[in-house]
Amino acid sequence: MKQTDFFFRNGNPKKGAHMTSKKMWMTLGILIGFLGLSAVIAAGVSRPSVQWGVPFGIGAALMAAAIVPVFFAKKHPWAPVVTLCLNVLSCGLLVGSFYVAKSLPLPFTSALLYALAAAGSYLVPMLLLSIPGIARHTAPFVIVCFLWIIALFTAGVALWIQLGEKYAAFTLFCIPVALFAIGSFTDCDTPEKLLVALAVPSSFAVGIIAVIVLLVLLQADSCDCDCCDGGCCDCSS
């Protein structure tokens, strides 16, 4: 099978393996910081008595603003850091707005646990790269990582559905993990390129979180027992 240039550059497996290892450890560190700070913000947002539209609206605005710095990455290599920071705030506010709407306080310890559990799952593709039979070839690595992403979201959805909405944060945090992983697999052999490769997926991830939260909350709001008299929807829950 064809050797993967991304993992082993210039025909030098040792050099490529070192670069990949360094890049993925950097990604893991950024991912832990991203989700950890988002978790703290989400937990803080879930406590005040406000309408869920307030944190959601602010989060959506920050999400839109976070796209702009990426376009200046060539002239300003550290501009993607601004994108990542804005998306941290946006992610925390969006996840927190879900708990506000559901009147579910999100404890700081639980939020951090969900964030660390989601970020820790990134160790799976990192471990896969230590297996020569997988790391040296594109197809096996792509297939195994695809299965890992499916398993990650399956676990997240199962927790949300089977054990309750309090686990929604873990499910939502799995989205940045999957997209950050994909970004880290691209051809980015410098810290500056890695930041761009992670900043862009972070915007996509926050956008997906916003859509999921909005759809779930709008669906819940559409069932108003005062106006439907139990006839147009199931208001028993």
Side-chain angles (χ1 to χ4, degrees):
M1 300 179 75
K2 184 179 179 180
Q3 187 171 332
T4 308
D5 293 335
F6 167 66
F7 297 125
F8 302 103
R9 302 171 186 275
N10 303 321
N12 188 339
K14 291 184 178 180
K15 180 181 178 182
H18 172 72
M19 293 169 67
T20 299
S21 175
K22 181 179 179 180
K23 175 172 62 176
M24 298 189 78
W25 278 112
M26 288 176 62
T27 300
L28 179 61
I30 294 173
L31 190 55
I32 291 174
F34 186 96
L35 293 182
L37 292 174
S38 295
V40 171
I41 295 170
V45 169
S46 70
R47 297 177 182 276
S49 298
V50 296
Q51 294 293 323
W52 67 266
V54 175
F56 185 91
I58 297 174
L62 290 173
M63 174 186 68
I67 300 174
V68 178
V70 176
F71 294 101
F72 298 94
K74 288 187 177 180
K75 292 185 178 180
H76 305 282
W78 298 101
V81 174
V82 179
T83 294
L84 288 168
C85 290
L86 289 175
N87 280 329
V88 164
L89 296 172
S90 178
C91 181
L93 289 167
L94 292 171
V95 174
S97 68
F98 174 87
Y99 285 85
V100 170
K102 296 295 182 178
S103 299
L104 291 172
L106 178 62
F108 284 98
T109 52
S110 297
L112 288 173
L113 180 61
Y114 299 151
L116 291 176
S121 67
Y122 181 71
L123 290 170
V124 173
M126 292 182 66
L127 291 174
L128 291 175
L129 285 179
S130 65
I131 304 175
I134 294 178
R136 290 176 182 274
H137 302 92
T138 305
F141 182 78
V142 171
I143 292 173
V144 174
C145 285
F146 181 71
L147 294 175
W148 162 68
I149 291 175
I150 292 177
L152 181 64
F153 284 111
T154 300
V157 173
L159 282 174
W160 188 337
I161 295 176
Q162 298 296 327
L163 299 181
E165 294 174 331
K166 62 181 180 179
Y167 291 98
F170 172 77
T171 307
L172 296 174
F173 287 153
C174 287
I175 297 172
V177 174
L179 294 185
F180 271 50
I182 294 173
S184 70
F185 299 154
T186 59
D187 187 0
C188 45
D189 54 358
T190 65
E192 292 80 6
K193 289 182 179 180
L194 178 61
L195 286 174
V196 175
L198 297 182
V200 174
S202 74
S203 291
F204 278 105
V206 173
I208 295 172
I209 290 173
V211 171
I212 292 175
V213 170
L214 184 62
L215 290 177
V216 171
L217 296 184
L218 288 179
Q219 183 180 14
D221 286 346
S222 67
C223 182
D224 187 348
C225 297
D226 293 332
C227 66
C228 73
D229 295 327
C232 63
C233 58
D234 182 9
C235 298
S236 59
S237 58

